Every structure is written in C-alpha cells, then in structure tokens.
Amino acid sequence: MMISGPRQLRNDIDVYLSPLIEDLTKLWDEGVLVFDGFQNETFHLRAMLFCTINDFLAYGNLSGYSVKGHRVCPICEEDTSYLKLKHGRKQSTLGIDVF
C-alpha cells in the first residue's frame, strides 16, 4: 500500500511497480511450478491481475492521467462540468453532462 502525500512518488512510481509488473508477466507468460499439498503433486500455476481498487488520486498516479484541472474525468473529458471558485484558485467538479 502506498500513501500519497507531499512526498509522493509522482512519475517515479514505475520504479516501485517494475518488480510487480515483471512478476505478473512471468505468471502470465510462463507460470510457476507450485506444490499442491492436498493432491500431493506439483502443477503449473498461471495467474493474472484482474482489477485494482483505488481512489481517484491513486488512479491518476497509477495511470499517468491528470486528475486535476478542467478535464478531471478520463471518461467524460470535455463533457465534465466544473466551476472555478470565486475566492481561490481551486475548481469544483459539478457533475457530468452525459445527455
């Protein structure tokens, strides 16, 4: 688990994810030999990562998509409604115009 903060990894996250990607690639392409204690035999195990669950900021960090600014939603992009706050530099996302 990684916790974002002022000293988060930003674009250097690939350094930490690289070993995971290598292991997942090996599990998918080659597999590994595993012992089954119940059957008392070894078998070839292949696996894949099906999905991840993370918050929106972690999603942006992992995917490289910018989750700040006018187009914060990677699906809606230009249809995302936003409002710049009157007494500040921040923006508020109002909703999604899908119709």
Side-chain angles (χ1 to χ4, degrees), residues 22-64:
E22 290 171 9
D23 288 346
L24 288 172
T25 302
K26 181 178 180 179
L27 281 169
W28 178 253
D29 292 339
E30 304 167 27
V32 291
L33 208 56
V34 178
F35 180 74
D36 181 355
F38 184 75
Q39 299 284 341
N40 201 24
E41 63 186 20
T42 57
F43 67 97
H44 215 77
L45 174 73
R46 295 178 71 175
M48 66 179 229
L49 178 65
F50 180 68
C51 67
T52 62
I53 299 173
N54 39 280
D55 65 8
F56 202 61
L57 295 175
Y59 166 77
N61 198 4
L62 290 171
S63 67

Side-chain angles (χ1 to χ4, degrees), residues 84-98:
K84 189 168 183 173
L85 300 177
K86 188 174 182 179
H87 300 291
R89 296 179 295 158
K90 296 188 177 187
Q91 297 178 145
S92 175
T93 303
L94 303 174
I96 302 167
D97 298 332
V98 292

Side-chain angles (χ1 to χ4, degrees), residues 53-82:
I53 299 173
N54 39 280
D55 65 8
F56 202 61
L57 295 175
Y59 166 77
N61 198 4
L62 290 171
S63 67
Y65 188 86
S66 175
V67 292
K68 299 175 183 175
H70 301 300
R71 298 180 180 147
V72 298
C73 179
I75 298 166
C76 306
E77 293 209 347
E78 295 172 1
D79 295 330
T80 303
S81 298
Y82 65 92

